[in-house]
């Protein structure tokens, strides 16, 4: 896979505010302090727009960077960092009920905590699901996404152009980790906190409940360059997206199902504005989009010149808090905001799955739950690898 240059990526992502969040049935515009999300993807196709949704950045500022040598005593600074193809893969070493003796209330704590969070922030499910993908896609599900700094001083994943200010949900995990520490100190890892909360978010969004696998440990390293190489833009081609998902162990059919996470996302107008007003510099809308849909989007995205992050977000489908198959039903009607999503229908490798998911809502919900469990078990650290952090923002 040929990656674009860092300079090109930085230019491309300056306007990006990645997908997530939810739908307010009374209005298209999210309240100013609501949160934002993003999705799996691949390389840049064409520079355009901005994703939105999410929650990171709410509350207190992050702690100062750690001093050199603050990593786990006697450990190489990179020893706990799980790179693709290394460490424990495919969830080996993970079990259901891992904390039944050491922290028996763990799963209940997550469920009650998220129920409370959703009362004030209904977008939290989208934020957490996106955060889990961004953690697992970069070296494995090891909570490297949560670190604010590492001992060797390298730029961490939060600083990647694919994360940055658009990454939401880390503060939610901070809150959950604090609750774990109160109940059973230094027992539940940050990686399991992400996986448990993502599993609960998935259950609340799909209606399909399953007990989470556990036993993950936390990385002591985090590299922005790793995120740059393993996360990608929402305008990716099918080939580019397929390569990203292949490295995670998923085929084309499975990729399509997981991209159904867009069912609870939103996107800022600047992400798809050119599809509405000036597709490929034609001064016309993308001919694939139905004209009534174009008119609907123009009614929301009224000013193509609105500065990034200040234009309205638009929901991916009409059921923003439910991970259902409406996303696929809309794709079949060519009603998609993102160019990457639009490309799925016409490709022989992905089109049949789009139609299959559009025809069977329960099949989609069940398949998503199965595949999401696999995703959150990818390339984990277990046993004596890594550590169990006291706080998710820094190593011990």
């Amino acid at each position: 896979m040929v990656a674009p240059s860092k300079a090109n990526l930085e230019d491309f992502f300056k306007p990006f505010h990645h997908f997530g969040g939810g739908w307010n049935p009374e209005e298209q515009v999210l309240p100013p302090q609501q949160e934002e999300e993003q999705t799996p993807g691949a390389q840049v196709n064409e520079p355009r727009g901005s994703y939105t949704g999410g929650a990171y950045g709410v509350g207190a500022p992050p702690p100062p960077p750690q001093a050199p040598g603050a990593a786990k005593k006697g450990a190489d600074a990179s020893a706990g960092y799980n790179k693709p193809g290394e460490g424990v893969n495919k969830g080996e070493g993970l079990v259901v009920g891992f904390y039944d003796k050491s922290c028996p209330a763990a799963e209940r704590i997550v469920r009650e905590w998220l129920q409370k969070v959703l009362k004030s922030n209904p977008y939290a499910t989208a934020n957490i699901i996106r955060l889990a993908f961004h953690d697992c896609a970069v070296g494995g599900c090891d909570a490297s996404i949560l670190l604010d700094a590492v001992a060797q001083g390298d730029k961490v994943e939060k600083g990647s152009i694919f994360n940055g200010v658009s990454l939401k949900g880390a503060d939610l995990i901070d809150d959950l980790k604090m609750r774990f520490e109160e109940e059973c100190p230094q027992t539940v890892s940050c990686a399991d906190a992400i996986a448990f909360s993502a599993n609960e978010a998935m259950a609340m969004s799909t209606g399909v409940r399953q007990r989470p696998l556990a036993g993950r440990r936390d990385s002591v390293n985090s590299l922005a360059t790793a995120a740059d190489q393993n996360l990608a833009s929402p305008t990716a081609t099918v080939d580019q997206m397929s390569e990203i998902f292949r490295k995670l162990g998923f085929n084309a059919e499975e990729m399509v199902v997981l991209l159904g996470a867009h069912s609870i996302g939103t996107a800022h107008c600047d992400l798809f504005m050119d599809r509405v007003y000036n597709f490929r510099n034609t001064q016309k809308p993308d001919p694939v989009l139905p004209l009534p849909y174009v008119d609907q989007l123009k009614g929301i995205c009224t000013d193509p010149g609105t500065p990034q992050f200040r234009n309205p977000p638009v929901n991916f489908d009409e059921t923003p808090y439910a991970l259902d198959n409406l996303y696929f039903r809309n794709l079949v009607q060519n009603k998609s905001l993102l160019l990457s999503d639009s490309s799925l229908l016409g490709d022989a490798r992905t089109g049949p799955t789009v139609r299959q998911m559009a025809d069977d809502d329960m099949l989609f919900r069940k398949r998503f739950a199965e595949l999401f469990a696999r995703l959150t078990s990818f390339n984990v650290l277990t046993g004596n690898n890594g550590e169990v952090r006291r706080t998710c923002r820094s190593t011990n």
Side-chain angles (χ1 to χ4, degrees):
M1 183 173 65
V2 179
S5 69
K6 185 173 180 64
N8 288 339
L9 283 171
E10 288 173 343
D11 289 342
F12 173 71
F13 274 94
K14 284 177 181 177
F16 271 80
H17 201 202
H18 285 75
F19 102 77
W23 162 267
N24 183 335
E26 302 298 327
E27 57 183 354
Q28 291 273 358
V29 182
L30 293 181
Q33 295 183 347
Q34 296 298 349
E35 307 172 333
E36 304 166 308
E37 260 275 70
Q38 187 185 358
T39 183
Q43 297 162 289
V44 175
N45 187 350
E46 294 181 24
R48 59 179 75 219
S50 74
Y51 272 135
T52 162
Y56 177 68
V58 179
Q66 293 176 268
K72 191 171 183 179
K73 187 176 180 180
D76 179 3
S78 63
Y81 193 57
N82 220 7
K83 299 177 182 178
E86 298 179 1
V88 180
N89 207 344
K90 299 181 180 178
E92 295 174 9
L94 301 182
V95 296
V96 170
F98 183 84
Y99 297 108
D100 282 358
K101 292 183 179 180
S102 60
C103 191
E107 294 175 38
R108 174 179 56 81
I109 288 171
V110 175
R111 182 168 58 255
E112 293 177 354
W113 164 80
L114 187 54
Q115 288 171 344
K116 183 176 180 180
V117 168
L118 289 173
K119 291 179 180 179
S120 59
N121 176 17
Y123 309 103
T125 50
N127 303 330
I128 293 168
I129 287 172
R130 178 210 170 192
L131 184 72
F133 180 87
H134 275 234
D135 182 42
C136 294
V138 182
C141 307
D142 57 9
S144 56
I145 190 73
L146 299 178
L147 288 172
D148 285 333
V150 290
Q152 64 271 39
D154 292 334
K155 189 176 181 181
V156 296
E157 290 173 34
K158 283 180 179 178
S160 167
I161 52 179
F162 293 95
N163 291 318
V165 296
S166 70
L167 178 68
K168 311 300 175 182
D171 63 315
L172 298 177
I173 306 301
D174 286 340
D175 183 53
L176 177 59
K177 175 65 171 175
M178 181 179 66
R179 294 168 189 263
F180 283 141
E181 290 299 300
E182 292 172 353
E183 179 73 19
C184 36
Q186 207 169 359
T187 300
V188 180
S189 67
C190 297
D192 274 346
I194 294 175
F196 274 34
S197 59
N199 179 71
E200 190 62 33
M202 181 275 302
M204 291 183 178
S205 301
T206 64
V208 179
R209 183 167 294 280
Q210 55 195 10
R211 286 196 72 188
L213 292 167
R216 300 166 187 81
R217 288 169 66 86
D218 301 326
S219 172
V220 298
N221 204 356
S222 180
L223 296 171
T225 52
D228 294 343
Q229 293 164 7
N230 291 283
L231 298 172
S233 96
T235 57
T237 65
V238 172
D239 283 342
Q240 293 164 339
M241 289 188 288
S242 296
E243 177 62 13
I244 291 291
F245 278 88
R246 183 195 63 76
K247 292 193 291 185
L248 297 174
F250 296 104
N251 61 30
E253 182 267 343
E254 294 164 337
M255 174 186 74
V256 172
V257 174
L258 285 170
L259 286 173
H262 277 170
S263 178
I264 54 173
T266 67
H268 274 268
C269 289
D270 52 295
L271 175 60
F272 53 86
M273 192 75 78
D274 58 343
R275 296 192 74 199
V276 176
Y277 288 98
N278 185 26
F279 184 63
R280 302 189 192 281
N281 295 316
T282 63
Q283 303 300 315
K284 297 178 181 179
D286 186 342
V288 170
L289 298 175
L291 289 180
Y293 188 53
V294 170
D295 291 340
Q296 177 186 345
L297 295 178
K298 284 183 175 180
I300 302 167
C301 306
T302 57
D303 182 5
T306 303
Q308 58 182 326
F309 310 136
R310 296 183 183 179
N311 50 65
V314 181
N315 46 284
F316 283 102
D317 68 31
E318 298 82 356
T319 54
Y321 308 132
L323 263 169
D324 57 19
N325 75 333
L326 187 54
Y327 161 79
F328 296 102
R329 288 156 54 193
N330 284 348
L331 283 184
V332 170
Q333 300 176 51
N334 288 312
K335 293 167 60 178
S336 62
L337 299 181
L338 305 183
L339 188 62
S340 57
D341 287 343
S342 178
S343 68
L344 297 174
L345 180 63
D347 193 286
R349 295 164 293 180
T350 53
T353 304
V354 170
R355 293 182 175 85
Q356 182 186 34
M357 295 300 111
D359 289 340
D360 194 333
D361 183 48
M362 187 49 64
L363 174 62
F364 164 65
R365 292 171 188 255
K366 290 180 177 178
R367 284 291 286 148
F368 186 90
E370 294 168 359
L371 296 171
F372 195 66
R374 273 180 51 194
L375 173 65
T376 53
S377 301
F378 176 72
N379 232 36
V380 295
L381 293 165
T382 60
N384 294 322
N385 295 312
E387 64 182 14
V388 176
R389 295 185 208 142
R390 295 181 180 87
T391 175
C392 292
R393 291 177 177 263
S394 62
T395 58
N396 293 337

